[in-house]
Amino acid sequence: MRKYIIGDNQELTRFALESLLQKDEETVVYRAFDKARLVELLKENESAVVLLDYTLFDFSDEDQLLIIAERFSLSQWILISDELTPQFIRRVVYSSHQFSVVYKDGPLSEVREALSAVSRFTRYLSQRALETIITQQQQEDETPSVLTTTEMEIVKGIALGKTTKEIAAERFSSIHTVTTHRKNIFRKLGINTAHEAVKYALRAGLIDPSEFYI
């Protein structure tokens, strides 16, 4: 009997994955809504396949993800997200053969191919993921883009623990505009989470450590 753990906090995606998996009567599907629950389920099901949207989970950085995967070395992981930075994909893929990578906006056939691959204990990288890795390798020595003044101000807001709504209100901007800026910041810095943005900003001197609430 094959066991799966779905770690995705988007209800529609979770429902679609469950429907796809439960077509096979020989499967058991569990849900995890945060890192702590995911670890609990892996303790009980060490060889489970984890279908995870890393960008929606409470991982502070990829190191935490890699540590958990290493701890449960019999588990296999299919990362399914809208956006993953090239640096993240390359780090995870090069660090462990437990990880497959597909995208939510890719064809359903890729998810099926990934599931088929892990059933044979091999991994699957979508064409887009492969191209991302190759491009990142070619550009690894390039200097990251400089943040604009607006982006630096938004990084400060993130560091101070402000929500997107609060930052938008302070700047007299729409939530959509601030969300777009956040995506651009994450892309430029090569990160996936707000915590990583804060760490990068502190290291780079983009914000004053005395203003940051630890």
Side-chain angles (χ1 to χ4, degrees), residues 144 147 188-189 191 195-206:
L147 297 183
K188 287 183 177 182
L189 299 184
I191 57 177
H195 183 75
E196 291 174 298
V198 173
K199 291 200 300 183
Y200 185 97
L202 286 167
R203 290 196 303 267
L206 298 178

Side-chain angles (χ1 to χ4, degrees), residues 49-214:
V49 175
V50 181
L51 293 90
L52 175 71
D53 188 335
Y54 170 83
T55 63
L56 298 180
F57 247 54
D58 57 338
F59 289 100
S60 61
D61 53 36
E62 64 265 30
D63 287 332
Q64 287 190 345
L65 176 63
L66 290 169
I67 288 170
I68 292 175
E70 183 178 4
R71 177 180 175 187
F72 300 101
S73 58
L74 298 178
S75 64
Q76 296 181 82
W77 301 66
I78 301 176
L79 301 179
I80 307 177
S81 298
D82 287 319
E83 295 183 9
L84 291 170
T85 64
Q87 293 87 345
F88 172 85
I89 295 175
R90 189 180 178 197
R91 170 86 187 283
V92 170
V93 168
Y94 282 10
S95 297
S96 173
H97 286 279
Q98 293 170 259
F99 291 95
S100 298
V101 180
V102 296
Y103 291 87
K104 286 185 177 179
D105 58 356
L108 182 59
S109 61
E110 290 186 345
V111 178
R112 290 197 176 101
E113 289 175 20
L115 290 169
S116 177
V118 298
S119 71
R120 302 189 303 272
F121 299 98
T122 60
R123 74 173 175 191
Y124 176 83
L125 300 176
S126 69
Q127 183 64 32
R128 178 177 166 188
L130 285 171
E131 291 173 355
T132 298
I133 293 171
I134 293 170
T135 300
Q136 169 60 20
Q137 188 164 351
Q138 294 172 340
Q139 298 177 345
E140 63 180 352
D141 294 329
E142 293 185 4
T143 303
S145 302
V146 177
L147 297 183
T148 66
T149 301
T150 296
E151 290 167 344
M152 290 176 65
E153 291 174 354
I154 290 175
V155 168
K156 288 183 180 181
I158 294 171
L160 293 171
K162 296 177 181 178
T163 66
T164 300
K165 183 177 181 180
E166 290 171 334
I167 295 172
E170 289 181 355
R171 297 186 55 80
F172 301 100
S173 300
S174 68
I175 294 176
H176 174 74
T177 298
V178 175
T179 299
T180 299
H181 281 306
R182 282 173 62 100
K183 288 182 178 180
N184 289 335
I185 291 167
F186 285 14
R187 174 180 54 79
K188 287 183 177 182
L189 299 184
I191 57 177
N192 291 284
T193 66
H195 183 75
E196 291 174 298
V198 173
K199 291 200 300 183
Y200 185 97
L202 286 167
R203 290 196 303 267
L206 298 178
I207 57 175
D208 184 348
S210 66
E211 295 182 290
F212 177 56
Y213 299 149
I214 300 175

